[in-house]
Amino acid sequence: MPATSPRPRHLLAAVRTAFGYTLAGYAKALEQQAPAIGYGAIAWRREKISRWEAGATEPELPAQLVMADLHGVDPDQVAARGWPDWLLLALPGPDIWAPFALEATLSALDYLAADPSRADDAGTPLVPPDVLHDLTVRWTAHIQHTIERGIGGAYIGVEVSTAIQARLTALWHLDDSLGGTPCTTSARADLRMVTRLLRHARHTGQLTTDLHYLAAEYARFLGWAEFDADNQPGAQRAWHAALRASAEVADPAHSAYLLSNLALTAIYDDDAHQGTELLATARDIAGSRTTPLVAAMIDTWRVRAAAAEGDAAGAARFLMTAEKEFDHAQQGDENPPWAYWMCRPSHMAETGRAFLDLGEPATAETLLTEGLQALPKGATRDRILYLTWIATAQARQQSLDAAADTASTALDLAPLVDSGRCSNLLDDLSRELSPHSKSSQVASVLERLRSA
């Protein structure tokens, strides 16, 4: 499986490495900066900075003020935001605490659409949970206000938004077939085009709304593609920009979808509680202002969140609700185009995975097998996800030959996609099968998994 770079454990480490400092070099830079603001007697040693980055101690306020001065951060923000959150201001890219305003949105989109070599998130740690929570609360208040205002103005320039939407739709399906990694370049290029239209073109009314929606959906999709490529910081940066763009659009369904994406990735990052809260917010935003199909999608992901928290009763309740909502979906409903992938809730991969989390592998295998059979032909990446979790369910039931056969089928498909998420799941499957290596079939597939 592809190797991944270790993620910095602390924001200070991310700031230091972003500016090219070693521990000793950073101590020297701070020592030289201190006299400029009247602090000359602080002992600056690499060991002290190492302890700060390990979270063992926190720098005293004078030391933080010297760091802020070195990086051009307003000293008032040091006290206002506290340690270590103010360090976010020193990192490249837009500040996630900025107010929801058009220029801040365009700045975030500009940064997101920049050349990857100038916007590399590989060394950036995940946004602290309290900061992400604050961003969600502020965004939710803004979007609710926007929804109340409604949409006004004449509809002009429909050919522009229609053409861009067609490109976006093609990208959705490309992701289904090839995985997220190959799609990031195209998504970034198209997002740059939409951002330029927002900034420079003359547009009013519905076209302005359409462009903001397209910016939000391109940013959301780019976040999804980065998540699938196993770049969690890049995904969060994309969804930060998407939250800003979506705040300009009175579209509760898309707003809920965006929050649901954030929630699912939180669950994958072993933060089921945050995923649960985000999905509850998404469901509240959607309310009765969306279609039963979208409601079923959100509640199906709530099944996975509840299961990840060990709440079997909650998972069952959400699945029952989602099934009822799906059954209420009508052929004539105006479902949003991005909901094209939604299938019966019990057939979704996340539902089967939920029952694995709840210790019910037989149920998981049944649901996942039914879902696999219902997948459209081009959904190669999802096919690998289903097969990987089916093999896991089979192994947990001691059906080792079946597990080996299923894993082998997944490996046959793996070269067709470029998805860090699939690679990680195949790594997980390798660990799942390792205790059964005395089986000749399992041993054979383990060799393939380890050399993939």
Side-chain angles (χ1 to χ4, degrees):
M1 304 304 156
T4 56
S5 302
R7 183 181 296 144
R9 294 173 296 174
H10 196 278
L11 280 170
L12 179 57
V15 170
R16 178 175 57 77
T17 56
F19 288 92
Y21 289 114
T22 63
L23 285 168
Y26 196 58
K28 184 66 174 178
L30 293 173
E31 181 181 359
Q32 294 173 346
Q33 192 75 17
I37 59 172
Y39 292 111
I42 301 175
W44 303 99
R45 298 190 304 274
R46 67 184 305 278
E47 294 80 10
K48 180 181 288 189
I49 294 169
S50 180
R51 289 196 297 272
W52 293 341
E53 292 184 1
T57 59
E58 292 185 8
E60 295 181 353
L61 182 59
Q64 293 187 45
L65 291 173
V66 174
M67 282 186 271
D69 193 64
L70 176 66
H71 298 297
V73 175
D74 183 349
D76 291 339
Q77 293 299 317
V78 174
R81 302 193 182 194
W83 180 266
D85 288 348
W86 71 261
L87 289 167
L88 288 164
L89 296 172
L91 288 171
D95 173 26
I96 65 169
W97 288 83
F100 282 94
L102 177 58
E103 190 54 42
T105 295
L106 293 172
S107 175
L109 292 169
D110 280 339
Y111 177 75
L112 182 62
D115 183 86
S117 64
R118 295 194 295 108
D120 184 11
D121 294 290
T124 304
L126 292 175
V127 175
D130 59 329
V131 178
L132 184 60
H133 175 72
D134 179 87
L135 176 67
T136 302
V137 169
R138 290 187 298 117
W139 173 79
T140 300
H142 184 102
I143 196 67
Q144 293 287 19
H145 178 63
T146 302
I147 291 169
E148 290 171 5
R149 289 200 313 250
I151 301 173
Y155 190 93
I156 61 171
V158 64
E159 70 284 354
V160 175
S161 57
T162 299
I164 297 174
Q165 178 65 60
R167 291 170 63 91
L168 179 60
T169 301
L171 204 54
W172 291 337
H173 294 288
L174 192 66
D175 168 68
D176 294 337
S177 299
L178 302 182
T181 303
C183 297
T184 56
T185 300
S186 294
R188 191 172 279 109
D190 281 5
L191 177 59
R192 188 181 303 117
M193 173 183 64
V194 173
T195 305
R196 287 175 176 170
L197 285 170
L198 276 169
R199 189 185 293 278
H200 301 298
R202 297 180 62 186
H203 46 78
T204 59
Q206 186 63 43
L207 179 57
T208 300
T209 300
D210 288 347
L211 289 173
H212 279 296
Y213 160 76
L214 287 166
E217 176 54 19
Y218 264 113
R220 182 213 64 82
F221 173 78
L222 180 55
W224 176 262
E226 294 283 24
F227 161 67
D228 191 62
D230 197 30
N231 179 9
Q232 281 274 43
Q236 286 196 342
R237 178 63 69 183
W239 284 322
H240 157 232
L243 283 168
R244 293 190 175 283
S246 71
E248 305 293 333
V249 185
D251 187 345
H254 189 261
S255 303
Y257 186 39
L258 176 53
L259 275 187
S260 298
N261 278 231
L262 266 169
L264 187 61
T265 56
I267 296 166
Y268 271 80
D269 203 45
D270 297 324
D271 193 350
H273 181 68
Q274 186 176 68
T276 297
E277 289 189 338
L278 287 169
L279 284 165
T281 301
R283 193 63 187 85
D284 288 344
I285 288 174
S288 60
R289 294 167 295 188
T290 189
T291 64
L293 186 71
V294 173
M297 178 204 74
I298 300 171
D299 283 330
T300 302
W301 281 350
R302 295 175 85 179
V303 175
R304 174 73 193 280
E309 289 198 283
D311 182 5
R317 183 174 66 254
F318 285 131
L319 181 56
M320 184 179 300
T321 301
E323 286 283 324
K324 288 180 179 178
E325 289 164 338
F326 185 84
D327 287 338
H328 288 155
Q330 302 293 322
Q331 187 69 33
D333 287 345
E334 293 186 11
N335 289 310
W338 45 258
Y340 72 93
W341 54 266
M342 180 62 192
C343 62
R344 177 163 290 280
S346 59
H347 289 172
M348 283 178 63
E350 300 301 330
T351 303
R353 171 58 193 269
F355 281 91
L356 280 176
D357 290 343
L358 292 171
E360 299 183 31
T363 301
E365 181 183 3
T366 298
L367 296 178
L368 287 164
T369 300
E370 292 174 354
L372 179 65
Q373 293 169 349
L375 275 180
K377 185 177 180 181
T380 307
R381 191 257 320 281
D382 282 355
R383 198 169 299 277
I384 296 171
L385 299 180
Y386 278 86
L387 289 166
T388 303
W389 284 335
I390 290 172
T392 300
Q394 291 167 336
R396 292 182 184 179
Q397 297 172 83
Q398 302 301 311
S399 301
L400 301 181
D401 289 350
D405 285 344
T406 305
S408 182
T409 303
L411 281 166
D412 290 341
L413 294 173
L416 303 178
V417 302
D418 192 352
S419 164
R421 187 160 51 122
C422 286
S423 296
N424 288 340
L425 292 179
L426 288 169
D427 279 338
D428 292 342
L429 180 58
S430 179
R431 288 187 286 271
E432 188 82 35
L433 294 176
S434 288
H436 309 293
S437 58
K438 291 183 179 179
S439 162
S440 59
Q441 279 191 273
V442 170
S444 176
V445 81
L446 276 172
E447 184 176 352
R448 288 187 64 192
L449 281 165
R450 289 164 182 164
S451 63

